[in-house]
Structure formats: structure tokens, C-alpha cells
Amino acid sequence: MTTLTADEYRTLISRALEDAADANTTEPDLRRLFTPSSHRLALAPDVTVVKGARGTGKTYWAKALTDPRLLEIAAASYMMPRLRRVEIATGFAADRTTGAAYPHKRVIARLMQDESFEAVDFWFTVVLMALQVPEVTGISDWPGRMSWVREHPEALDDALQEANSAADSSGTTRVLLFDALDHLHKDREHADKLVSGLLEVALELRLTTTALRAKIFIRPDMYDSAPKKFADASKLSANTTELTWFRENLYGLFFHQLGNYDGPGAGAFRAATGVWRSDGEGRFIAPVEVIADQTRQEAIFNEIAGEYMGTDRRKGLTYTWVPNHLQDGKEQVSPRTWLYSLREAAVLSAERYAGHGHALHYDAIRASLHGASRIRVEELTEDIAWAVVALEKLEGGEVPMEPSVVLAYWDQRGLGPALRRMAGNPDESDDGGSGPRRPDDLFAVMEELIAIGVLTRRLTTGAIDLPDVYRLHFNIGRRGGVSRKS
């Protein structure tokens, strides 16, 4: 089926995925932008809330939407012409730039120390800044801007309607993007308050204007924990979607990267896998079955990695084994972790199994999980650092564990005090996102880790387990599972 040798495949994979480990900091680009079918609704202007776990692509899409060229690709790929008539502004992001419409998180922490602080006033101020309303942009400080919003409710409504009419008359939709809400405030109660206010403002824009929209990228647990006691809150569910990665999306992403590599091997890979359509500027679109049909994908991947994770089927089918061992407790795989693991397997195969008949040796695939686990934990650290601290306290143990054993580990190793130290001073600038909802209740901490997919609970016994993609990094064993790194 293929014109590439095992060695040529290894070279193609290792080079095409060379910056996979840095995918969270690399800007989306025209050639590599992949548009999985499951993400279509996330880009629709009228969808207000886009839920996604850490690493599922929230920030990737938030950045892609701000690039007119990438926006055009999305409009064409998803057959969504309305995307060609949107104006994008950023209402919050982790990488704040000079002149942004929102303040630094240290400023937010100071604003919240004022007893008169209202989250709705804060977010309306951000909206007016993003819309460049002169009455607000002309004020030099955030307390002054918020005071104007609080003291001029009619002028606020007039400014929104004026911006709405201007967008309407030009046939555009003005979309305000909100991302990285994990970094709003270190204290979870304060973060929940801010998210609640943002959701209320977003819903009001949705219900009272025709051409002003907010798009909020948020972790599911943060969305769930934010109070929704404002009017018509139930209507948010009608404008909500979730970023998911099904198995065919992951393989489609992998093949898309190989076919769009700007170097040796990519052309041969395209020729071997069907008729790829040129989309201009060096970008190629794979045949539908290559990115959406699991039977076809399995045949292609078997050429690359072989059918089995050993000499026969007793060790498992390679096509399903790889994503199954990279998924978290919610059965989701981070694209960054996925691509890193495949590249690492290619590099290890070249170093240790150069004479193997397939590009990826099954033992190299197993070994790649350790590096992938490190990458996934790095992702977790950026937004949910407290979860990493909790897992560190289980190091050296073996899962599954009885819940009482987990709690004993945490109690003996001081998880409670560690979480309280992390909450510390909300004005500090270190990263790692907000903390757990109830840091003083270790059982509640365990339940929250299960809810976000870091831990799992076995249905038959109630024992606590840990997905391999986290377990391996923390030197936690599992009887019969992938071995810990010695």
C-alpha cells in the first residue's frame, strides 16, 4: 500500500511532529491547522460556552479565531460562511499584551478586594473596552472605568446598542473571546464569582443584541461550579458545546500533520493514502476516509506500526492500544500528548529497533508513554497545579487504592497544608490556575479529581485508579499495567 520504507516513515514522523511538545506555545499555522468534525459548533458565533478539559484545544481555537487566514480555513472546512463576517476581539487570555481590553490578574485580585466589587460590572467594563467605547477607554485606571459602568447604567445600554447597530448595519458579528479563565484568580471562590459574572454578561449580550456575542472557552468543572443564580441562566445550556477528541479525530490529526509536512516524505505519504486536494499555499486536504473512517485509518496505521502490540493479538491491537493508554479519566486524549508520543516512538524505534519491519516498534510505543506522561503533567501544571501536588503525594504507591488509603497518603504527606499554601496570597503572579473548591476537605478534593478525570473510581469495587498518562510520571505502580520507569 505504501511507497515509504520503515526508515522513511520514522524520519517523516519525527520531523513532521518535531515541535509537538511545544504545541501549547506554538501559534496555529495555515498548513497544520486541523479541523476535526467534532469541533464545528465550538466556532459558531452564536455558541456562547465552549467547554473543554485541559489540552483539548480551547486556547488553540481562541488563537486561531484571531487570525483572518485561519478563520477563512475554518469557514471553508466547516461550511460556515458566517465566520467570514465576524470581527474578533479578546476579552481575556493568559498572554496579555499591552493595550489589552482586560487587566492583568494581579489588578483583578486588587479590584476584588474592594467591597463594592461586582463581577458583572467588571465584565461589562471589559466588554466596553473591547468595543472601544470612548467614555470608558478615556479613563486611565480600572477602578475609574468600573465606577463609570456602575454609575451610568443607561449610558452602558446605549453604548452596547450603538455597537450592536454598527455591527448589524455592516453585516458583521462582533465576537469577544474569553480564554484561560483558570488564571482569573488563585482562590477558587473568587474565580467562581468572576466566571459567574462573565456568564451573566455573555447571556445578556446573547438575549439583548443581535450582533454582539461572547465566546467563553472554559473547563467543564469551572463551568459547573460557577453559581448561576441570575435570570434565564438555564438558557445557557442551549448555547453550549464541548471540545472532544474521538479516536478518528486523533488519527486524522496525525495523518494531517504527516501529509502537510513541508519536507521529504510528505508527498509520498499523500500518494500512498489517496487523493489529497491542494488548498493553496502548501496546504493539503486529506481524503475523507483518511480523517474520518476508522477502518481506513487502522489499515494506514498498521502499515506504520504493525497490527499488534507484540508478536500476536494477546498484547492488544496497536490502533486502539495507543489512544487507550494516553486517555485521562474522561476518556479524552490531549492532542499534544498524542503527537508527542508518536514522535517519541519513532525516535526510539530508530535508535533501538532500526531493523524492525515497521516504523514504530511496539516496545518503543510502550516506552514513549513515559515521555507523554511528563508532557501531560506539564499541561496539568499550567492550569490545575493543585492536582499535580495531590498526585505527587501518592508517589511510590500502587493503584487501585481504597479511598481510605488515598486519604491516608494525603494526610500523612501534608496535602491539606500544601493546598492552603498554594492558595496563599491571591495577589501573587505565579501560574498554576485556581485551587480546588474545598481545599480543607480531602475527600472533596478526591471527588473533584475524579470529576476532572485525573483520578477514576472503579465501578465494581469503588477503588481509586489513575490513568497511565498521569500514573507513569509519578512512579505509581499498577499490577499488570505498563511498568514504571526504573
Side-chain angles (χ1 to χ4, degrees), residues 210-484:
T210 56
L212 304 181
R213 294 290 181 263
K215 185 171 292 295
I216 301 168
F217 293 92
I218 187 171
R219 288 199 332 251
D221 62 296
M222 291 197 72
Y223 175 80
D224 292 340
S225 69
K228 302 175 187 65
K229 298 178 181 178
F230 46 88
D232 297 317
S234 61
K235 293 182 179 178
L236 279 171
S237 60
N239 300 295
T240 299
T241 190
E242 191 155 359
L243 290 174
T244 55
W245 285 86
F246 300 110
R247 186 182 298 154
E248 61 268 26
N249 299 146
L250 293 168
Y251 278 101
L253 171 67
F254 175 45
F255 298 148
H256 179 85
Q257 305 308 306
L258 299 188
N260 279 278
Y261 173 57
D262 185 20
F269 175 73
R270 294 194 298 269
T273 52
V275 179
W276 290 54
R277 175 173 59 85
S278 174
D279 198 36
E281 298 188 62
R283 176 181 169 84
F284 293 90
I285 307 299
V288 173
E289 61 272 15
V290 173
I291 59 173
D293 182 80
Q294 293 195 34
T295 301
R296 176 65 172 143
Q297 290 178 335
E298 184 170 11
I300 297 171
F301 194 65
N302 287 349
E303 278 292 321
I304 296 172
E307 188 174 359
Y308 306 120
M309 284 298 295
T311 56
D312 56 44
R313 67 172 55 248
R314 288 177 297 177
K315 295 292 186 179
L317 298 175
T318 311
Y319 177 74
T320 55
W321 193 96
V322 182
N324 285 350
H325 283 75
L326 290 174
Q327 66 187 15
D328 64 12
K330 295 296 183 181
E331 299 184 348
Q332 285 295 297
V333 177
S334 154
R336 180 186 177 206
T337 307
W338 167 250
L339 296 179
Y340 176 88
S341 179
L342 293 171
R343 182 183 186 274
E344 183 73 358
V347 171
L348 293 175
S349 295
E351 292 175 351
R352 304 175 186 177
Y353 311 101
H356 187 59
H358 294 285
L360 306 184
H361 191 280
Y362 42 82
D363 283 336
I365 292 174
R366 284 193 181 87
S368 76
L369 294 185
H370 294 276
S373 180
R374 173 181 58 81
I375 294 295
R376 186 58 174 149
V377 170
E378 287 175 1
E379 287 187 321
L380 197 65
T381 303
E382 291 162 8
D383 287 347
I384 322 177
W386 67 267
V388 175
V389 173
L391 294 185
E392 287 173 343
K393 304 297 185 184
L394 301 177
E395 186 167 0
E398 183 174 282
V399 290
M401 293 181 185
E402 290 300 316
S404 58
V405 175
V406 174
L407 296 175
Y409 266 102
W410 286 346
D411 184 55
Q412 293 166 10
R413 296 180 176 183
L415 177 60
L419 294 179
R420 287 191 289 274
R421 284 194 300 273
M422 289 183 73
N425 179 7
D427 197 40
E428 291 179 3
S429 60
D430 55 297
D431 293 324
S434 57
R437 299 175 202 169
R438 296 161 60 188
D440 293 321
D441 184 339
L442 295 184
F443 183 80
V445 168
M446 182 172 65
E447 292 297 311
E448 189 168 352
L449 288 172
I450 293 171
I452 62 179
V454 173
L455 297 178
T456 62
R457 175 182 283 114
R458 295 200 170 188
L459 295 177
T460 53
T461 65
I464 302 302
D465 211 335
L466 190 61
D468 280 347
V469 75
Y470 297 127
R471 177 181 67 84
L472 293 172
H473 180 75
F474 293 102
N475 192 32
I476 298 170
R478 178 188 289 116
R479 190 171 301 173
V482 176
S483 300
R484 289 182 277 191

